[in-house]
Amino acid sequence: SPGTRREMVGMHKLGSSFAAIGRKFSVAADTVRKVWNRHQIRGTSVSAPRSGRPKKLNDGDRIHLEEYVRQNREQRRLPLAEIALNLHVHVHPQTIRTELNNLELGHRIERKRPWLSAKQKEARLKFAKEHINWTIEDWMRVIFTDEMAMQTGANQGNIWVWRYREEEYDEDCCGATHKSGFRKIKVWGAIRYNKLSKLVLLSEKKGEGKFNSEDYCNEVLDGELFDFWISS
């Protein structure tokens, strides 16, 4: 306030340091120094009138806005008008967009990644910690295999989320994908250092029934997987 600024100037004239004055008023010493310099230059500690229209959101509003939008996955997906309403700020939604852009919180398309349970996350973290010191030569002796069902699905379109560019694959900014029981074609494949296996169809064969354990041993374990290991 103007009264506090005048008191700061008076204390410094009487010999108090900027740091001591700052401690008394719970502000930074540099803030007191700026008040003093303004008094020396303009003969008053009152701020000069600002040119142009004042900003509708102050620094505290911007901090609150950033914290609110990033609080959880639901709030990252709110429309601008609802954000303004929930924050009790009487501004146009475009003002909210401008402030979010200034904070580098862009309105970006939600990325998709497989849904993981807490147990699956724990298992993957445990695996990573156990193998953190493995060398490239160690990984070159490993084959990763997986099976996948390829199917048709409904296209739900893009979902937009407020996030920083580097938050692209953060859990709050991604949509979960789930495996469905509706299957069309099931395949098996493997990867290892700098090499891919062939895909093996695991779907039932026409007129021969379902793909059974004997088929799996013959076509996968003793077939493509064995050839893939020997040829590497």
Side-chain angles (χ1 to χ4, degrees), residues 24 26 77 82 101 112 116 119 149 153 186-187 219 225 228:
K24 174 178 173 58
S26 299
R77 291 157 178 77
E82 191 169 346
N101 287 338
K112 301 294 183 183
L116 297 176
K119 186 175 181 180
K186 192 173 183 181
V187 297
E219 298 193 30
L225 180 59
F228 186 53

Side-chain angles (χ1 to χ4, degrees), residues 130-142 193:
E130 290 174 348
H131 297 83
I132 193 171
N133 293 319
W134 272 35
T135 64
I136 292 180
E137 288 72 24
D138 293 324
W139 290 112
M140 289 177 69
R141 296 193 293 270
V142 177
Y193 188 82

Side-chain angles (χ1 to χ4, degrees), residues 151-212:
Q151 61 194 38
T152 58
N155 182 7
Q156 298 179 351
N158 294 326
I159 296 177
W160 294 79
V161 56
W162 298 103
R163 63 170 174 82
Y164 292 117
R165 189 177 299 278
E166 62 271 18
E167 294 180 315
E168 183 174 6
Y169 290 102
D170 281 12
E171 188 165 5
D172 280 354
C173 302
C174 288
T177 58
H178 300 267
K179 292 185 178 180
S180 168
F182 179 73
R183 298 178 178 178
K184 283 292 186 180
I185 300 175
K186 192 173 183 181
V187 297
W188 173 96
I191 61 172
R192 66 178 307 178
Y193 188 82
N194 205 30
K195 191 168 184 181
L196 304 174
S197 75
K198 297 177 182 177
L199 285 180
V200 179
L201 292 178
L202 304 180
S203 302
E204 58 184 57
K205 303 172 184 177
K206 189 174 182 181
E208 299 182 20
K210 293 184 178 181
F211 195 94
N212 55 35

Side-chain angles (χ1 to χ4, degrees), residues 65 77-86 89 91-98 100 107 162:
L65 173 63
R77 291 157 178 77
L78 291 177
L80 293 166
E82 191 169 346
I83 292 174
L85 180 64
N86 293 344
V89 289
V91 296
H92 193 277
Q94 185 58 42
T95 301
I96 298 293
R97 180 187 296 278
T98 300
L100 288 172
H107 206 205
W162 298 103

Side-chain angles (χ1 to χ4, degrees), residues 36-123:
W36 173 256
N37 290 340
R38 183 183 298 118
H39 179 271
Q40 292 295 95
I41 295 172
R42 300 181 57 243
T44 177
S45 57
V46 178
S47 299
R50 294 182 298 177
S51 60
R53 185 178 180 179
K55 292 184 177 295
K56 291 190 174 182
L57 297 181
N58 57 36
D59 291 341
D61 292 331
R62 295 186 191 94
I63 293 173
H64 191 193
L65 173 63
E66 180 182 17
E67 292 175 345
Y68 177 81
V69 168
R70 299 185 65 212
Q71 188 168 345
N72 56 50
R73 60 182 297 106
E74 287 76 22
Q75 287 169 206
R76 285 183 181 271
R77 291 157 178 77
L78 291 177
L80 293 166
E82 191 169 346
I83 292 174
L85 180 64
N86 293 344
L87 289 176
H88 305 292
V89 289
H90 304 290
V91 296
H92 193 277
Q94 185 58 42
T95 301
I96 298 293
R97 180 187 296 278
T98 300
E99 294 297 344
L100 288 172
N101 287 338
N102 291 338
L103 291 167
E104 298 184 3
L105 276 164
H107 206 205
R108 300 181 171 96
I109 295 175
E110 175 189 79
R111 300 302 185 196
K112 301 294 183 183
R113 70 178 195 181
W115 181 85
L116 297 176
S117 67
K119 186 175 181 180
Q120 289 171 323
K121 292 177 184 178
E122 183 179 354

